[in-house]
Amino acid sequence: MTQELPPDVIAQLTGLGRAITPDLVQTTWALLTPFHEKVGYTAPKIHRDLKYGDHPRHRLDVHTAGEQATATPAPVFVFVHGGGFVGGDKTQPGSPAYDHIGAWAVRNGWVGVTITYRLAPDHTWPAGAQDVAAAVDWIRENIAGYGGDPARIVVAGHSAGCVHVASYLTGQGGGSLDGVRGAGLLSGFYHIPDEGRGELERTYYADAPSETISTLPGLLETDIPLIFAVADRDPEFSHYQVARLTEAWFARKQSVPQVIWSDGHNHVSQIGSIGVDDLALGAQLARFVERVTEA
Amino acid sequence: MTQELPPDVIAQLTGLGRAITPDLVQTTWALLTPFHEKVGYTAPKIHRDLKYGDHPRHRLDVHTAGEQATATPAPVFVFVHGGGFVGGDKTQPGSPAYDHIGAWAVRNGWVGVTITYRLAPDHTWPAGAQDVAAAVDWIRENIAGYGGDPARIVVAGHSAGCVHVASYLTGQGGGSLDGVRGAGLLSGFYHIPDEGRGELERTYYADAPSETISTLPGLLETDIPLIFAVADRDPEFSHYQVARLTEAWFARKQSVPQVIWSDGHNHVSQIGSIGVDDLALGAQLARFVERVTEA
């Protein structure tokens, strides 16, 4: 069944505007949580805090159907949270975030993995990409034990998590791309200018030059299928990224990239819409995962 | 219930490629028709060939729920077919096209209107826009008698029909925009260069200069909500239009336009997907119509 939010709730989310403030984050989740509670936002079995490295934040959760798991290894959907390079977690007490993505993955017949990674300012570029690479290494080695297929992995990230996934895909964090069949790049950025970096970008990238850290050139060359998303009320910088991506993609490929427009949503409710507002992002993303992981 | 096409059918549609040949048209409809027959592609009551002007092609069909119509006047969804300026019709014997769009509109609780218009070479720019304007005039005057709300009209066009709708919206055909609450611009074009026009564009536009006939500047200024679409396997020219639109829209509005990516579809199956592959276009388009026609 297609999950939808009532139009008045979407209108409220739209009305919160484009600036990512603590108030927007709090109000957005307050609006969404009752709908997640109705649908259910925890998978039947969650294996918590498995370690994929030495740092305390090298942890991931594996979301599965538990006893209902099928005999055929399932596609694996990996989610990398946002938080401006300096915050965020795979789980937030009292919030559906981001167990709801694991639950949604399991409802789609996949294994879900939500990861946490090291943060700036202690850990700067390319630490995020290195951690995504390490998590995918762990998944490739271990996920069969949870019913997942190590040869059918899709990695998605939101906001700063999207930036880390793009950075991983383009080799900035090292590691292997074996088994990665596609990636979802959700409201992040790919071109990081030298001038005009915000405080969070300066914290993570310091003075590393644009040509070293921008992932756009690498994304244009990768063979891994990509799906992008932008929220209706995403900040201008996210929209700028889509404009620039579209221009560069067309110049390189004579086609435009697949960009999902999360209608009516803000930066936070876009990812919060997964599982409760299918048309905003989830249904298109699921179709992409099904297509690229087809056996 | 969300209608979907089997992945192998979508893969066949994708595999037909980007060039709009007679073979692509025929094969696409042959693949889609069995699914339309299963869903049902005719509304309960179709009022055929109502005249909205003097020319034999000034005809429209009104699709309604018949006896099941509700007391509250319903939103009106108007569809303008494609055909390269020189062909096409609102109905094609033995094919779901484009009754399927009327049926889909009625299933959504709206009144559907499918129109035919004059063709080049006998009728050149801005005849198409004039005819869309005349049809909307007729609708505004008469649709209440069919259960439609003349103050809640959404006009959508595909391919050459999209070009005519854009032309109408930007005033090239005269007429009124009263009651038009939104428009769907599906795989058409908005910037018509002076150089390099194809045969069909030359037939319709002759030598009219780009600055006179391009609708992009006008679309950037209109207050009418717009939704755009592009098909995965649309010709390069359609993708170029989205790239150019996105760039200009961002420069003007500091955001990117809402563009639906019709995943896996070609130019013809994009519009043929309505009613049988909701995620390709129909569900997003319906959400847009619901939003802009909200009382």
Side-chain angles (χ1 to χ4, degrees):
Chain A
M1 185 190 152
T2 307
Q3 297 295 334
E4 295 180 36
L5 288 173
D8 71 294
V9 172
I10 293 177
Q12 287 177 73
L13 293 165
T14 312
L16 295 174
R18 298 177 82 170
I20 307 166
T21 63
D23 185 55
L24 175 131
V25 176
Q26 192 181 353
T27 309
T28 295
W29 281 110
L31 284 164
L32 292 175
T33 295
F35 297 94
H36 281 291
E37 287 171 342
K38 209 175 326 177
V39 174
Y41 62 78
T42 50
K45 177 71 184 168
I46 307 178
H47 306 266
R48 295 272 189 207
D49 291 317
L50 307 175
K51 294 171 64 63
Y52 70 85
D54 292 335
H55 191 274
R57 284 186 62 93
H58 284 148
R59 291 172 290 107
L60 54 81
D61 294 348
V62 178
H63 308 252
T64 74
E67 298 302 315
Q68 305 156 39
T70 57
T72 312
V76 182
F77 186 83
V78 186
F79 178 70
V80 185
H81 66 77
F85 303 113
V86 298
D89 206 290
K90 61 181 166 53
T91 326
Q92 318 216 355
S95 164
Y98 295 98
D99 284 347
H100 72 295
I101 294 180
W104 166 82
V106 171
R107 284 200 299 279
N108 278 295
W110 319 322
V111 170
V113 180
T114 50
I115 81 163
T116 296
Y117 51 85
R118 290 172 296 164
L119 299 175
D122 289 348
H123 302 277
T124 56
W125 181 84
Q130 291 166 338
D131 289 0
V132 174
V136 174
D137 277 346
W138 185 96
I139 289 165
R140 211 180 283 113
E141 291 292 312
N142 295 284
I143 207 65
Y146 300 88
D149 185 345
R152 294 195 293 158
I153 301 168
V154 174
V155 188
H158 177 245
S159 197
C162 167
V163 174
H164 294 323
V165 172
S167 183
Y168 158 65
L169 289 174
T170 56
Q172 295 180 355
S176 163
L177 294 168
D178 287 354
V180 176
R181 299 279 284 264
L185 299 174
L186 316 174
S187 290
F189 45 87
Y190 320 105
H191 171 70
I192 302 103
D194 287 327
E195 301 294 320
R197 289 184 195 172
E199 187 187 335
L200 296 173
E201 287 81 46
R202 285 197 305 274
T203 303
Y204 183 61
Y205 292 111
D207 297 325
S210 177
E211 61 185 28
T212 305
I213 57 178
S214 290
T215 56
L216 184 50
L219 293 177
L220 295 177
E221 301 305 324
T222 183
D223 289 333
I224 294 178
L226 304 177
I227 187 170
F228 298 85
V230 66
D232 190 340
R233 304 306 295 156
D234 244 326
E236 178 176 339
F237 192 55
S238 297
H239 285 256
Y240 164 75
Q241 294 292 328
V242 171
R244 186 157 181 139
L245 167 75
T246 300
E247 180 189 3
W249 194 280
F250 180 78
R252 175 71 179 81
K253 298 168 191 269
Q254 295 79 56
S255 65
V256 293
Q258 180 174 11
V259 181
I260 305 306
W261 167 275
S262 298
D263 186 45
H265 284 279
N266 64 53
H267 186 72
V268 173
S269 68
Q270 177 194 57
I271 199 68
S273 75
I274 296 271
V276 293
D277 190 15
D278 288 344
L279 285 181
L281 173 60
Q284 311 275 359
L285 188 55
R287 179 168 168 146
F288 172 82
V289 174
E290 291 294 342
R291 171 158 57 82
V292 300
T293 61
E294 214 167 48
Chain B
M1 187 192 150
T2 307
Q3 297 294 334
E4 295 180 37
L5 288 173
D8 71 294
V9 172
I10 294 175
Q12 287 177 72
L13 293 166
T14 313
L16 294 174
R18 299 177 81 170
I20 308 167
T21 62
D23 185 55
L24 174 131
V25 176
Q26 191 183 352
T27 308
T28 294
W29 281 111
L31 284 164
L32 292 175
T33 296
F35 297 94
H36 282 292
E37 287 172 342
K38 210 176 323 180
V39 175
Y41 62 80
T42 52
K45 176 72 183 167
I46 307 179
H47 305 267
R48 294 273 187 206
D49 292 317
L50 306 175
K51 290 172 68 63
Y52 70 86
D54 292 334
H55 192 273
R57 285 185 62 93
H58 285 147
R59 292 174 288 108
L60 56 78
D61 293 348
V62 178
H63 308 250
T64 76
E67 299 301 316
Q68 306 156 37
T70 57
T72 311
V76 182
F77 185 85
V78 186
F79 177 71
V80 185
H81 65 77
F85 304 111
V86 298
D89 206 290
K90 61 182 166 53
T91 327
Q92 317 215 358
S95 163
Y98 295 98
D99 284 349
H100 73 294
I101 294 180
W104 167 82
V106 171
R107 282 200 301 277
N108 279 294
W110 319 324
V111 169
V113 179
T114 49
I115 80 161
T116 295
Y117 51 86
R118 290 172 296 165
L119 298 175
D122 289 348
H123 302 277
T124 55
W125 182 85
Q130 291 167 339
D131 289 0
V132 174
V136 175
D137 276 346
W138 185 96
I139 289 164
R140 212 182 282 113
E141 291 292 312
N142 297 282
I143 205 69
Y146 301 88
D149 186 344
R152 295 196 290 159
I153 300 167
V154 173
V155 188
H158 177 244
S159 197
C162 167
V163 174
H164 294 324
V165 172
S167 185
Y168 158 65
L169 290 173
T170 56
Q172 296 181 352
S176 163
L177 293 166
D178 287 355
V180 176
R181 300 278 284 266
L185 299 174
L186 317 175
S187 291
F189 45 88
Y190 320 105
H191 171 70
I192 301 103
D194 287 326
E195 302 294 321
R197 290 186 194 169
E199 186 187 336
L200 297 172
E201 287 81 45
R202 285 198 305 273
T203 302
Y204 182 61
Y205 292 112
D207 297 324
S210 177
E211 62 185 28
T212 304
I213 57 177
S214 290
T215 58
L216 184 50
L219 293 177
L220 294 178
E221 300 307 324
T222 183
D223 289 333
I224 294 178
L226 304 177
I227 186 169
F228 298 85
V230 65
D232 189 339
R233 303 307 294 156
D234 244 326
E236 177 177 339
F237 191 54
S238 297
H239 285 257
Y240 164 75
Q241 294 291 327
V242 171
R244 186 156 184 143
L245 167 77
T246 300
E247 179 189 5
W249 194 279
F250 180 78
R252 174 72 180 80
K253 299 170 191 266
Q254 295 77 57
S255 65
V256 293
Q258 181 175 9
V259 181
I260 305 307
W261 167 273
S262 298
D263 185 46
H265 284 278
N266 63 52
H267 186 71
V268 172
S269 69
Q270 177 195 56
I271 200 66
S273 74
I274 297 272
V276 294
D277 190 15
D278 289 345
L279 286 180
L281 172 60
Q284 311 274 358
L285 188 56
R287 178 167 169 147
F288 172 82
V289 174
E290 292 293 342
R291 170 158 57 82
V292 299
T293 61
E294 214 166 48

